[in-house]
Amino acid sequence: MHDIQQPSPFPAPPRRRQPVFDAGRFRLADAVVLALYAGLLILGVAGLLLFVPAYREQFPTDTLALFSVNLLTYAVLFTAVMIVVAPKLLESFRTFRYHPWAKAFLIPGLWLASILTTAGILIAAGVDPTKSENQLAIEVMTREVPFATMLVTTAIMGPMVEEYVFRHLLIGKLGRRIPVWICVPISIVAFAGLHFVGSGTFDPVSAIPYLVLGTVISLAYVFSGRSLAYAYVLHAFNNVVSLVLSYLMLPLLGG
């Protein structure tokens, strides 16, 4: 005769499922931020300050003058984005409650994977991965712009603005109307294309690092439950490491 199993007096707790964060509907506030984004970054309206003698004379070099415009641009956009999206951003930090250690270790892991993938593609194409246009521009700025100022601009404000536009809007909100796996390629291509706005040229090889990074962040955004916070932390980590390496290594290499 088989023993009849008695129900355990201590039932296993129900398995918690990672939430999928709702970006919400596209609102008027989103349209205002996008209009600011288009005017300041795509059209470069803030760059008109460089043609004002009283403004330009405040800076000893062209590099510092140009950086000041970028700083003002991102300060305005970051403020606007935080006004609009702060509640959603804070809510999406809840993704770290689910498999927190795995998600924490994935941040440097995904960064390393994107770096190795980019380097592998560039080397296979016969291109020196250390001499991209973006890297050369950073080399110039590290000689004149203080580290703290660069950190605030490119590792705190910049990633937040870009993640709001390319992940929160183009995947989170657009994904309410069309399949998310259509939104992801749109986000990746748009993210890469942004970095060539104003240059007047497009080099497919130079786009590879942005395509790889955009792919990694977009997939992380989707698989973290469309967490804006997770995408932001990953993007900020990438930029922080790049800055630290640039400021530490370039002087040693005679850059």
Side-chain angles (χ1 to χ4, degrees):
M1 183 175 179
H2 297 287
D3 293 332
I4 299 176
Q5 290 185 338
Q6 297 295 325
S8 171
F10 305 105
R15 184 178 179 182
R16 296 191 304 168
R17 292 190 175 184
Q18 173 179 268
V20 176
F21 301 98
D22 183 10
R25 295 181 294 105
F26 188 84
R27 299 177 298 159
L28 176 61
D30 297 313
V32 171
V33 175
L34 276 182
L36 277 174
Y37 185 87
L40 294 175
L41 269 183
I42 297 178
L43 298 179
V45 172
L48 295 175
L49 287 171
L50 297 175
F51 296 96
V52 179
Y55 181 85
R56 176 62 186 82
E57 291 169 1
Q58 303 301 313
F59 304 94
T61 67
D62 290 340
T63 298
L64 288 175
L66 180 59
F67 181 80
S68 72
V69 170
N70 290 333
L71 176 60
L72 289 172
T73 296
Y74 276 107
V76 171
L77 290 174
F78 178 80
T79 301
V81 166
M82 290 304 295
I83 290 172
V84 172
V85 84
K88 293 290 185 182
L89 175 66
L90 293 175
E91 178 190 13
S92 67
F93 270 103
R94 289 197 296 117
T95 192
F96 287 99
R97 297 180 184 177
Y98 305 87
H99 310 293
W101 288 107
K103 285 180 177 172
F105 282 113
L106 268 175
I107 290 172
L110 290 171
W111 167 81
L112 181 60
S114 68
I115 293 298
L116 294 178
T117 301
T118 298
I121 294 173
L122 292 177
I123 292 172
V127 178
D128 184 352
T130 66
K131 293 300 180 183
S132 68
E133 290 186 11
N134 185 59
Q135 184 62 34
L136 293 173
I138 290 176
E139 288 181 13
V140 172
M141 288 189 177
T142 56
R143 300 187 188 103
E144 301 186 32
V145 180
F147 174 78
T149 308
M150 280 284 284
L151 183 71
V152 170
T153 306
T154 64
I156 297 177
M157 295 192 297
M160 186 72 260
V161 172
E162 293 181 2
E163 291 313 308
Y164 167 79
V165 173
F166 297 106
R167 255 58 70 175
H168 185 70
L169 294 185
L170 289 185
I171 299 179
K173 295 203 172 192
L174 188 59
R176 293 167 60 94
R177 296 184 174 273
I178 64 177
V180 69
W181 297 114
I182 295 178
C183 299
V184 166
I186 293 173
S187 170
I188 294 169
V189 172
F191 176 74
L194 161 75
H195 294 85
F196 294 90
V197 170
S199 66
T201 60
F202 175 77
D203 179 8
V205 173
S206 297
I208 290 172
Y210 305 113
L211 290 171
V212 172
L213 181 62
T215 299
V216 169
I217 298 177
S218 295
L219 293 177
Y221 174 76
V222 172
F223 286 111
S224 63
R226 303 187 191 184
S227 169
L228 176 61
Y230 197 79
Y232 173 55
V233 171
L234 176 57
H235 194 159
F237 180 87
N238 174 82
N239 290 11
V240 167
V241 173
S242 297
L243 279 180
V244 170
L245 291 177
S246 295
Y247 275 84
L248 288 180
M249 297 303 296
L250 288 176
L252 297 177
L253 296 174

